[in-house]
Every structure is written in structure tokens, then in C-alpha cells.
Amino acid sequence: MRQAAPARIDPGGDQALTLIEQVVRRENLLAAHARVVRNAGAPGVDGMTVDELMPYCRTHWARIREQLLSGTYVPQPVRRVDIPKPDGRGTRTLGIPTVLDRLIQHALLQVLTPIFDPTFSDGSFGFRPGRGAHDAVVCARRHIADGYRWVVDMDLEKFFDRVNHDVLMARVARRVKDVRVLRLIRRFLQAGMMAGGLVSPRTEGTPQGGPLSPLLSNILLDEWDRELERRGHRFARYADDCNVYVRSKAAGERVRTSLERWLWQRLRLRVNREKSHVARPWARKFLGYSVTWDRAARLRVAPAAVQRLKTHVRRTIARGRGRRLAHTVADLSRYFRGWVAYFRLAEVKVSFEDVDKWVRRKLRGILWRQWKRPRTRIRELCRRGLDLDRARKSALNGRGPWWNAGASHMHAAVPSAELRRLGLVSLLEEHQRLTRPA
């Protein structure tokens, strides 16, 4: 570990500035404002939008700056927003700060990141400059390929809601000596949460939704990373999602029990025993990816990620049954491009091909439903090239939309080439395009 950063640092100007003075520098604030505008986002409890932030600051910044420098600035409560979890099981609570507080948090983040990030572990990948989920996945695959073919999949119980403020601030204070910065960070942590017009005080947790929360979580969990390194473990961590790789199941059970005890004693964090497992890597997922069981450990899309994709497709199609097919195709294709961009590391492509076939069948099913009456179906099938006798038999077969969507008459009437002309993105072709050598 490096030595604690001094309270006064050299900003590149003629004189050294305290940390809080670094935060309120004009150049730092303009960069923070640009990030707030780029990220957009909903208003906080005061209703102020991103577009209204700059005019507000022009009028009131002298007062706000003085409060920051004197250590008297008090953030407003965050606005509570509950969103569905990706797996559809329950909701995740976000705390949306006001745009002014987001500006100040970004300004803090830009000053604190150069102090803390260079000393973080190489096994940490979440919310760090120049690192991301793909790097974590590649690191995990490397550990498996090296023979560590058991994984301790650790799930921290409601991590962002359970962070102990005193434990966290003690870790921050090791590197930050400016009392005003420490006081400001604690006030952001303790800012109440508003829901239904009522504000609830916060005594623990660092609410998701604030720009500063990811860095604070890494500061706290860096001690966990160092403990894993001290023990000689192979691991990959992305935010609170951590996998430890070992050579046997017995070793994995010992590691899990030991880490559970250590996390509670040192960081006051609990492990969710129902979601934490010792298993083969190909039976688990990490950041949406899994691996094959063979020794080469090829990456594949985890089945749960495929199911989430299908759930999104079903919802999009349900909304599009009364619209033109081209509109539904456009909505799906936008989502598919982002999905494939994330899963472009996958080396097993069967899931892309299977989903492609499934999506085309769902789209043909939309048309079959829209045609409704047998007379309409006969007319549409004939218009698309089927002879009258075959069109009549197909339209009157008495089967449901899903069966007909997979039948030969709908493949002939609505070939894959027509769906491509409407703009449908093929997952397999998009993946091949992204992974094609330059």
C-alpha cells in the first residue's frame, strides 16, 4: 500500500491547494458538469433538471462554494426509485441525488480517484478507469484454464444497503486528511431517502445511483482483495460480485467458511448463504458469462442471460402486436446490438444461433396473429407466393400461432431474408462482425 495522501497536493498550479480546494477548482467543476450532462438522468427531490443546473450555478455558486470550503454544505435527500432486478426476482432500490449533488459528487470523484485507484488490487475490475466487465471475465477464464476448476461464488447480502459508515469512513480517512472532505463524504452517506414525500434517515449503506458510491464500495472492498492476495487466492471481483477459484471442492468449502467469518469481523458485511455456492465454474455464471467444461474453458453466454434476453423479447413483442412489424423489429434490433456487443467475448456461438431462430419464429407469430381471420390469412399467404390450395390448407389447419409460426408455409411466406430487409439484426451475424479480425 502507498503512503496516505497528504492533505495538500500539487494541482499543477503556482501553489499547493487543499483537497477541498481541488474539488471546487473551476476546471474540475466544468469537467464534472460535463459528466452530469452526458449521463443525463432524472431529477432529484428538488425537481431540477440537468438543463437547469448551469443557470442555477451561475446564480448560487458563490454561496455553495463558500459552504463547501467552510465544511457547512449539507446535501439534499436522495429520491428513492425501485427498479426490477435483471432476473425478475424482486426490486433494487436506487437513490437519485439532486443534479447539484451529482455535480459535487463527480467533482469529488475526479479528485479522489487518482488518490485511491492506483493502489487497488489487480483482481478488482468494477467501476475503475481502463477496466471493465470484459477484463474481469477474461481474468476468471484464465484462472480456470490454469487448473482452478472450482469456484467460490460469494454473494454479499444487500451490500450497498448494508455498508457500515464508520468502517467505510475509517478506510477513507487512511488516505484523506482534509477534514472538510471527510465530513462532506459522510454527509452524502447519511443523506436521507425520500419516498412518498417522507424522508427516512440513513445510518448505513451507500445508495446506488450516486456517482461517488462505486468508488466508496471499492475503497471498502479493497481490504477484502488484499486479504485474498495475502492468502494466495486466485480471484476476480467486479463491485460486490466476487469469484474465488480453487483446485478442489473441499478447499472451496474451507475458503467460503473462512471468508464469511473474516468479512463480518473486519468489514461488518454478511454473505448471503442462499446465493453463495462452491461449484464448478460451468455450473455458475459471472457477469452474464459462463464457461464450457472442457479443459480449454471456452466462454459462453450463461443460460440465465439468454433467458433474460428472451424475457425482453417477449415484452417487446407483446407491446408490438398492434403495430407494424417493422417498428417491433427496430426496437429489438437496437437492443440486440447492445446485447451482442457485451457478449462478444463468447466463443460458443450456439446460443446466438438458437435465439436467432426463436426470434424469427416469434416475429412470424406476430403476423399470424395480426392476420386473424382465415380469409385474411389465405389472402396474405397467396400474396406472398403460396398457391391457393396450400394457402387454404394452411389457413384452416386449426393450429395455434406458435405452431404456425414454425411451419413451412410461414417460412415460405416470411423468409429470413424479408426479416433482414425490415432491419432485423441477427445475433450470430452481429457477433461474427464484431469478432472478425481487422
Side-chain angles (χ1 to χ4, degrees), residues 307-326:
Q307 289 306 312
R308 285 199 296 271
L309 172 65
K310 289 186 173 183
T311 297
H312 178 86
V313 171
R314 290 188 185 99
R315 290 173 180 167
T316 303
I317 285 177
R319 293 195 303 266
R321 284 176 180 166
R323 298 192 303 167
R324 295 182 60 182
L325 189 64

Side-chain angles (χ1 to χ4, degrees), residues 394-414:
S394 300
L396 300 174
N397 62 39
R399 303 274 191 165
W402 180 248
W403 186 92
N404 278 282
S408 60
H409 54 269
M410 283 301 287
H411 279 263
V414 189

Side-chain angles (χ1 to χ4, degrees), residues 29 32-57 61 64 73 75-79 95-107 188 209-211:
L29 290 168
H33 179 266
R35 294 181 69 174
V36 172
V37 172
R38 184 166 61 249
N39 294 340
V45 295
D46 61 355
M48 186 188 302
T49 66
V50 169
D51 293 335
E52 295 169 329
L53 177 60
M54 182 60 80
Y56 180 86
C57 287
W61 184 251
I64 297 167
Y73 181 82
Q76 295 192 62
V78 297
R79 182 168 64 87
I96 308 301
T98 64
V99 290
L100 175 60
D101 286 337
R102 297 209 292 268
L103 171 71
I104 296 171
Q105 286 196 39
H106 272 302
F188 275 122

Side-chain angles (χ1 to χ4, degrees), residues 142-183:
R142 184 168 59 249
H143 294 327
I144 298 167
D146 287 344
Y148 295 81
R149 294 168 67 81
W150 287 88
V151 61
V152 185
D153 188 348
M154 304 288 290
D155 185 272
L156 298 181
E157 189 176 81
K158 297 182 178 179
F159 169 71
F160 285 95
D161 297 330
R162 299 285 175 82
V163 170
N164 184 288
H165 290 174
D166 291 335
V167 173
L168 171 58
M169 290 307 302
R171 272 69 184 169
V172 176
R174 292 174 183 173
R175 312 292 305 283
V176 174
K177 302 306 178 183
D178 192 322
V179 176
R180 293 164 297 178
V181 172
L182 294 174
R183 186 181 298 130

